[in-house]
Amino acid sequence: SLMGHDVVIFEARKHLGGMLRYGIPAYRLPRERLEEDINAILAVGGIEVRLETKVGTQAMAELQNEFDAVYVAIGAQKGKGLRIDGAKAEGVISAVDLLGRIGDGDYPDFSGKRVAVIGGGNVSMDAVRTAKRLGAKKVSILYRRRVADMTALPGEIEGAVAEGIEVKTLMAPARIDVDENNHVRGVYVTPQMISTIKGGRASVRATGEPDIFIPCQTLIVAIGQDIEF
């Protein structure tokens, strides 16, 4: 726009902001600050915004004919899933989906529930700290390596622990236990041990000990993100 172009933004969701709104909780990035940034950008002028407009294959072909240039900036807004038994059960949700719902103001109620989060990155920390704020009775991080191997920022890990989050390391998810209504009631994890360390990061293998059962009514998966092609 500053270079003199007329710009149209096609946004699939209800609001602008992308992962700043739909991936980062408000306690880390206050919505007022985000709105200030968005409004400052739009104030440049010459920018049209079309909300709740998803671009599919046909629409993409039409855009390429209609516009001089099309810039794709969709990020990685799809959560990776688990490949274990019970992964499709009710109560098993993606951290990306959870944070996305909250970005639209849809806050689930975790009051009195046990919540387990699989993963050791920043999204996992966002998920556990958000679950705590949504009223969860107990929140646990399940991670197959050590705390030292977590990709989350040290300050995020420390913040989670300071808020009473339980961190269970060297535990690899094996299978999800479900009830007669196909709702999660817990996850079995396999104890791990360090096998080798390369570049400071540990590889792990099973210890041979029996699986451990971790009860939970909600299981949040935060093991990475994919692009929705």
Side-chain angles (χ1 to χ4, degrees), residues 120-136:
N122 284 323
V123 175
S124 173
M125 301 306 139
D126 287 344
V128 295
R129 298 177 75 178
T130 296
K132 190 78 172 178
R133 285 163 171 76
L134 293 173

Side-chain angles (χ1 to χ4, degrees), residues 42-217:
L42 296 180
V44 169
I47 302 171
E48 177 189 344
V49 178
R50 300 181 190 176
L51 298 173
E52 296 184 87
T53 305
K54 193 158 185 170
V55 177
T57 304
Q58 183 60 39
M60 186 67 181
E62 292 169 1
L63 291 182
Q64 288 176 286
N65 292 327
E66 183 181 350
F67 292 89
D68 297 307
V70 179
Y71 187 85
V72 181
I74 56 175
Q77 300 196 33
K78 184 179 176 182
K80 290 183 177 178
L82 291 170
R83 296 182 180 179
I84 58 176
D85 290 344
K88 301 295 184 182
E90 293 292 322
V92 179
I93 58 177
S94 159
V96 175
D97 290 343
L98 171 67
L99 296 171
R101 284 176 56 189
I102 291 171
D104 275 331
D106 179 11
Y107 292 85
D109 183 8
F110 290 163
S111 297
K113 291 185 177 180
R114 290 175 177 263
V115 177
V117 180
I118 297 173
N122 284 323
V123 175
S124 173
M125 301 306 139
D126 287 344
V128 295
R129 298 177 75 178
T130 296
K132 190 78 172 178
R133 285 163 171 76
L134 293 173
K137 176 173 68 174
K138 182 175 182 180
V139 186
S140 304
I141 295 171
L142 308 178
Y143 187 59
R144 66 193 186 100
R145 292 188 174 95
R146 308 166 301 174
V147 169
D149 303 308
M150 287 183 171
T151 56
L153 296 170
E156 291 296 317
I157 300 171
E158 291 166 10
V161 171
E163 290 181 7
I165 308 300
E166 178 184 50
V167 180
K168 299 179 80 68
T169 57
L170 294 172
M171 299 286 178
R175 66 189 186 280
I176 296 166
D177 187 46
V178 300
D179 62 19
E180 60 277 6
N181 297 315
N182 196 39
H183 193 284
V184 61
R185 59 185 172 193
V187 56
Y188 284 94
V189 293
T190 304
Q192 304 290 300
M193 62 185 293
I194 304 300
S195 57
T196 58
I197 297 179
K198 293 182 180 179
R201 188 165 171 82
S203 294
V204 295
R205 61 182 176 85
T207 63
E209 298 173 274
D211 288 350
I212 298 170
F213 181 69
I214 309 293
C216 62
Q217 289 81 51

